[in-house]
Amino acid sequence: AQSVSQHNHHVILSEAASLELGCNYSYGGTVNLFWYVQYPGQHLQLLLKYFSGDPLVKGIKGFEAEFIKSKFSFNLRKPSVQWSDTAEYFCAVNALRDSSYKLIFGSGTRLLVRP
Amino acid sequence: GAGVSQSPRYKVAKRGQDVALRCDPISGHVSLFWYQQALGQGPEFLTYFQNEAQLDKSGLPSDRFFAERPEGSVSTLKIQRTQQEDSAVYLCASSFSSGGGDEQFFGPGTRLTVL
């Protein structure tokens, strides 16, 4: 069965620190990869996605992620975080062979950025 | 805005009661998904509709869970004889087409508490 692992459940950073959140998935076929973010009191929203092509994907608010196929990884990065980045971040996968296009989510990483 | 809406936002039920949760997807979106998010976990897939057809219900945890989308727009998730383990946030998402790469737009969720 497909699964997604997010290694860091809680991350605390100071403003201007660099961020990297790990995401690994288990599925041998072709996948689409996503990072979703949930700000306090808000609903899930898309941060960035990878379908094909350049493995380095740029998203909103200065976030980027790199797809490394050989490592089954899709880590999220931001060079300098802001207090407003405090949120919960979810990595998600859907398998192109899966005709329902459902997303398989990781358990999430809670990021707290201290001013 | 014209996002995904869900009602009610909060529902408290006594064990054994039936509940109905409503989802209004973005107008014109073909695909509709239901997810269940337990405390501290990522969303887990329940079921998928393409227009009015329920193409995947493999994630429904028991036959007490039933979903419908009779006219291809609004969807209802019904849980019969609720149990304490049904307590969770129920998320609805919609996407424009039936393709796997489409962004899924999430609603705010319904938080169900079963006493």
Side-chain angles (χ1 to χ4, degrees), chain A residues 89-107:
Chain A
Y89 293 81
F90 293 93
C91 181
V93 169
N94 73 15
L96 295 189
R97 195 174 66 183
D98 183 346
S99 60
S100 80
Y101 309 118
K102 61 180 176 281
L103 293 174
I104 307 296
F105 284 87
S107 57

Side-chain angles (χ1 to χ4, degrees), chain A residues 32 34 36 38 43-44 46 49 51 90 94 98-103 105-107, chain B residues 33 35 37 40-43 45 48 56 91 98-101 103-104 106-108:
Chain A
N32 294 321
F34 305 81
Y36 278 83
Q38 187 166 25
H43 54 272
L44 278 167
L46 183 69
K49 60 186 179 183
F51 296 159
F90 293 93
N94 73 15
D98 183 346
S99 60
S100 80
Y101 309 118
K102 61 180 176 281
L103 293 174
F105 284 87
S107 57
Chain B
F33 303 82
Y35 294 86
Q37 186 174 18
Q41 300 296 317
F45 170 78
Y48 162 65
D56 187 345
L91 297 170
S98 57
E103 175 183 356
Q104 292 184 23
F106 283 81

Side-chain angles (χ1 to χ4, degrees), chain B residues 54-68:
Chain B
Q54 188 175 20
L55 298 186
D56 187 345
K57 53 182 180 179
S58 62
L60 296 176
S62 78
D63 58 8
R64 297 186 294 104
F65 286 70
F66 171 77
E68 60 183 6

Side-chain angles (χ1 to χ4, degrees), chain B residues 25-36:
Chain B
I26 294 172
S27 178
H29 277 197
V30 167
S31 295
L32 186 145
F33 303 82
W34 283 98
Y35 294 86
Q36 180 191 58

Side-chain angles (χ1 to χ4, degrees), chain B residues 38 71 96 107:
Chain B
E71 297 179 357
F96 179 69

